[in-house]
Amino acid sequence: MLRRAAIAAATLVAGGGAAVAAPELSLPVDCDPGQTCFIEDYVDARPGQGMADYTCGLKSRDGHRGTDFSLLSFEAMENGVAVLAAAPGRVAATRDGMEDRPVTDETRDSIRGRECGNAVRIDHGDGWQTLYCHMARGSVAVRDGDIVERGAVLGQIGLSGLTNAPHVHLGVLRNGAVVDPFNPGDSTTCGAGDGNGLWQAALPYTPTGLFTAGFATGIPDFDAVKSGAARVRASRPDQPLVLYGHAFYPEPGDRLRFTASGPGGEIFRHDLTLEDPKAQIMRAFGRRSPDGGWPEGDYRGYVRLERDGTVVAVRHADITVRR
């Protein structure tokens, strides 16, 4: 149930002067960036159609109004990862009770108006607020009116609302308008800020990332990967299982790790070092079916992109094997 005030995504964008009396932000999740979490998406700095992050890079989505701190796996989420107050303040609104389930085309309408999922909104004074979305059902640990300190546990990362992977969406608002914590001076212009923004400690940025990962039953065509046509969601026990990843702006020496597991446990693990990558690449790895075929059931794969031991991006894919 939503208490005191509705939690909703703002549609306005802050302009110049937004940094006056701004709170200093710490990490909104109990994780180690580059080791147990990474930033998947930033605020969309391009008004209208199209998208750009605060550097004019590709790490955003059209109309995205916050910063997504992602975990490396669903298993990490199931072990429990705390969502933390990024600055001291007063709890202005909470919502709990929404189911933890990845959104699909069939379930999207059922969460309309509640895309933030189980959530907490904190008031920091002078019109500043922070919003924490997609927490696990039953995990919200604060109530309306509570005074919280920086780092206070607000709940646990879950899969509620408009999400299909475990992360916390941090929204920063000033008088109801979206503020990019990496470029608070003007969230509609990219390439101008230094990235330090509202953060107590600067968070490193790399333009490199993963567009997607998916399963196929053979090595897919790159054009089919880019269009989405390569993705297979169901296969037969006698067919190969191939996991692919589509990366952007990788550098020589970057490493792609492919892992996949199913009803019988892990089916493969493979590391690939990129020697001479281009602006966009697709790489894939898989296995032929074993004698008797793959066991029927659900399989999940992860493609992880690393640089010098630091996790840059992770994408997952699911496939169901059935006769």
Side-chain angles (χ1 to χ4, degrees):
M1 182 178 71
L2 185 64
R3 296 186 285 269
R4 184 166 297 188
I7 292 179
T11 57
L12 301 177
V13 178
V20 175
E24 288 188 335
L25 304 179
S26 56
L27 282 176
V29 57
D30 185 13
C31 69
D32 182 4
Q35 300 300 316
T36 59
C37 67
F38 64 99
I39 297 178
E40 177 70 39
D41 285 312
Y42 297 82
V43 172
D44 181 12
R46 178 168 294 167
Q49 292 186 338
M51 61 79 185
D53 62 38
Y54 74 95
T55 74
C56 302
L58 298 175
K59 303 180 88 165
S60 188
R61 289 178 283 114
D62 192 12
H64 194 238
R65 296 183 287 260
T67 306
D68 290 346
F69 292 81
S70 295
L71 302 182
L72 306 191
S73 68
F74 288 81
E75 292 77 13
M77 177 194 71
E78 291 163 2
N79 289 334
V81 178
V83 176
L84 308 176
R90 178 184 60 83
V91 176
T94 63
R95 177 167 53 223
D96 203 345
M98 290 183 66
E99 185 177 357
D100 289 290
R101 62 178 181 180
V103 67
T104 66
D105 290 341
E106 291 73 25
T107 61
R108 189 177 294 265
D109 284 344
S110 69
I111 61 171
R112 194 174 303 280
R114 301 180 299 156
E115 289 85 353
C116 189
N118 302 319
V120 172
R121 181 157 50 82
I122 298 177
D123 192 304
H124 305 286
D126 196 29
W128 288 93
Q129 295 186 329
T130 51
L131 178 63
Y132 309 78
C133 300
H134 312 309
M135 285 192 271
R137 180 167 63 178
S139 76
V140 175
V142 293
R143 299 176 61 86
D144 293 8
D146 285 354
I147 304 300
V148 294
E149 299 299 322
R150 180 187 313 280
V153 174
L154 306 178
Q156 301 282 317
I157 287 182
L159 281 174
S160 61
L162 186 61
T163 182
N164 60 13
H167 73 280
V168 62
H169 171 104
L170 174 69
V172 181
L173 307 172
R174 176 83 192 281
N175 296 324
V178 172
V179 175
D180 185 347
F182 291 88
N183 184 21
D186 186 354
S187 295
T188 66
T189 301
C190 65
D194 61 9
N196 294 348
L198 303 180
W199 299 102
Q200 277 192 324
L203 298 175
Y205 173 89
T206 172
T208 305
L210 285 164
F211 282 122
T212 191
F215 273 108
T217 55
I219 301 299
D221 177 79
F222 195 11
D223 286 339
V225 168
K226 289 187 283 189
S227 71
R231 186 182 303 276
V232 175
R233 301 188 185 278
S235 65
R236 300 190 310 270
D238 62 343
Q239 292 180 301
L241 289 178
V242 176
L243 180 64
Y244 63 82
H246 179 193
F248 55 90
Y249 299 137
E251 296 181 358
D254 285 355
R255 176 173 293 185
L256 281 173
R257 170 167 291 182
F258 298 84
T259 59
S261 300
E266 186 172 275
I267 63 171
F268 61 72
R269 176 180 296 265
H270 178 72
D271 287 355
L272 174 66
T273 299
L274 303 177
E275 301 295 344
D276 187 23
K278 300 179 180 179
Q280 293 188 39
I281 63 164
M282 187 280 293
R283 296 290 186 270
F285 184 82
R287 297 284 190 197
R288 293 185 177 92
S289 61
D291 292 342
W294 299 111
E296 292 189 73
D298 296 327
Y299 290 72
R300 173 166 289 156
Y302 294 99
V303 179
R304 180 187 298 189
L305 179 60
E306 299 180 356
R307 177 174 298 155
D308 298 327
T310 297
V311 177
V312 174
V314 178
R315 290 283 188 168
H316 79 280
D318 295 315
I319 192 171
T320 300
V321 174
R322 59 182 178 228
R323 297 188 186 279

